């Protein structure tokens, strides 16, 4: 039993690899959503120049900031909801593990 692990067993190498792969999939999906949303909003379909101009760059910066802000707010709401459901069911840390 681990003092800091609250009695939970340590994940195996396969579990760590699976968790890392799942995290990479989530990051890739989020990046693709960000790229598609901001490109659609900020970059015109008819390219006039080979480089992004100042207005497009500012738009992309703001779009990305708003995208991550919304992602954080949604994540916080989902975590709060999961914690409320876990607390109502008695599924807190350390319960039944000792």
């Amino acid at each position: 039993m681990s003092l800091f692990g609250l009695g939970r067993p340590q994940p195996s190498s396969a579990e760590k690899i699976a968790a890392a792969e799942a995290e990479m999939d989530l990051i890739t999906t989020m990046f693709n959503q960000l790229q598609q949303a901001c490109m659609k909003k900020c970059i015109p379909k008819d390219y006039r120049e080979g480089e992004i101009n100042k207005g497009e760059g500012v738009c992309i910066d703001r779009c990305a900031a708003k995208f991550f802000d919304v992602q954080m707010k949604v994540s916080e709401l989902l975590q709060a909801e999961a914690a409320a459901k876990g607390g109502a069911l008695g599924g807190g840390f350390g319960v039944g593990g000792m």
Side-chain angles (χ1 to χ4, degrees), residues 31-77:
F31 175 79
N32 288 334
Q33 290 173 343
L34 168 70
Q35 186 267 337
Q36 290 172 358
C38 293
M39 283 284 289
K40 183 178 177 182
K41 180 179 179 183
C42 299
I43 307 296
K45 293 194 187 309
D46 57 332
Y47 295 110
R48 296 183 199 118
E49 303 171 12
E51 301 290 324
I52 294 176
N53 65 36
K54 185 175 181 176
E56 293 166 342
V58 169
C59 180
I60 290 172
D61 285 344
R62 289 181 180 163
C63 180
K66 288 179 184 178
F67 184 89
F68 284 117
D69 187 39
V70 168
Q71 291 293 323
M72 289 299 296
K73 287 180 182 178
V74 168
S75 176
E76 289 170 0
L77 289 172

Side-chain angles (χ1 to χ4, degrees), residues 2 4-13 15-16:
S2 172
F4 296 111
L6 298 174
R8 292 177 283 158
Q10 296 297 318
S12 68
S13 293
E15 290 172 332
K16 289 178 182 178

